[in-house]
């Protein structure tokens, strides 16, 4: 996702509903993909990762999306204070770009998966692009829950289930310059 992307902001309620409706059956993993034409998005992504370093990523994610017009370079510090971060540690993290390697890994992963726009969601390797409504995600999740139940009934051990379910997902073709 991209913190400056209006469509990413719009999909959040549907994803929150997925988390609530499928509690214990889904896990949300956030990956950054600041788009080149969103000039404030890379710093916002680093702010999110700096908050993650203090155990408050999801609070920063909420804050950045709910204050999407407040992403200028001087504003992340106020967001950090608002969510109760150690602002000195946050400022050091952000100014030193300590989280840039993590951001770059997310960007490389998006390129490897040929993700060209935001938001893009993967459900067990199945790509769902755009700001889709809850119903679209619910259909895909229901299909994946059904597949999981069948795999478990067929003898797949629980600790191998995720690997089995994503085996047919998007394969990674790592380009030499990204590896």
């Amino acid at each position: 996702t991209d913190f400056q992307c209006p469509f990413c902001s719009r999909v959040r309620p549907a994803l929150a509903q997925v988390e609530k409706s499928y509690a214990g059956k889904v896990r949300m993993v956030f990956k950054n993909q600041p788009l080149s034409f969103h000039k404030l998005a890379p710093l916002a992504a680093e702010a999110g990762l700096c908050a993650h370093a203090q155990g408050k990523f999801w609070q920063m994610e909420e804050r950045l999306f709910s204050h999407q017009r407040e992403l200028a370079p001087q504003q992340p510090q106020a967001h950090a204070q608002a969510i109760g971060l150690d602002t000195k540690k946050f400022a050091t993290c952000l100014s030193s770009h300590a989280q840039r390697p993590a951001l770059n890994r997310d960007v490389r992963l998006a390129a490897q998966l040929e993700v060209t726009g935001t938001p893009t969601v993967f459900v067990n390797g199945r790509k769902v692009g755009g700001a889709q409504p809850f119903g679209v995600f619910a259909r895909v999740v229901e299909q994946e829950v059904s597949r999981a139940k069948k795999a478990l009934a067929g003898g797949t051990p629980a600790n191998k289930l995720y690997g089995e379910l994503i085996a047919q997902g998007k394969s990674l073709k790592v380009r030499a310059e990204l590896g």
Side-chain angles (χ1 to χ4, degrees):
T1 193
D2 172 327
F3 284 111
Q4 201 174 350
C5 168
F7 299 103
C8 294
S9 184
R10 288 184 205 141
V11 77
R12 293 179 71 254
L15 295 177
Q17 192 173 354
V18 167
E19 274 190 297
K20 183 177 179 182
S21 298
Y22 297 97
K25 294 181 181 180
V26 298
R27 177 176 63 117
M28 295 289 182
V29 177
F30 187 100
K31 297 291 181 184
N32 291 287
Q33 186 186 11
L35 301 174
S36 62
F37 53 90
H38 286 152
K39 299 303 180 195
L40 303 176
L43 184 64
E46 286 188 66
L49 292 166
C50 286
H52 176 65
Q54 293 189 41
K56 291 196 173 190
F57 171 78
W58 292 110
Q59 293 90 331
M60 183 62 87
E61 184 262 359
E62 166 67 30
R63 177 78 185 184
L64 293 174
F65 275 122
S66 65
H67 293 82
Q68 209 169 31
R69 294 182 184 262
E70 299 169 15
L71 299 178
Q74 69 277 13
Q75 294 171 312
Q77 194 67 27
H79 298 312
Q81 184 173 5
I83 65 167
L85 292 179
D86 177 324
T87 55
K88 287 183 182 181
K89 284 183 183 178
F90 179 82
T92 299
C93 179
L94 203 56
S95 65
S96 70
H97 301 288
Q99 295 299 324
R100 180 131 335 134
L103 173 58
N104 290 339
R105 282 190 299 274
D106 284 358
V107 170
R108 280 193 303 275
L109 178 60
Q112 290 169 346
L113 293 171
E114 299 172 355
V115 173
T116 57
T118 58
T120 299
V121 174
F122 287 90
V123 181
N124 288 348
R126 294 175 59 191
K127 183 178 178 180
V128 180
Q132 300 296 330
F134 169 73
V136 170
F137 292 109
R139 280 192 297 280
V140 176
V141 170
E142 286 294 337
Q143 291 167 1
E144 291 304 306
V145 167
S146 177
R147 285 183 59 223
K149 287 178 182 176
K150 287 178 186 173
L152 289 170
T156 300
N159 65 343
K160 304 282 186 191
L161 182 60
Y162 182 68
E164 177 74 23
L165 293 174
I166 66 165
Q168 300 303 314
K170 177 86 175 137
S171 63
L172 294 178
K173 298 175 192 166
V174 181
R175 297 191 324 250
E177 70 272 20
L178 297 173

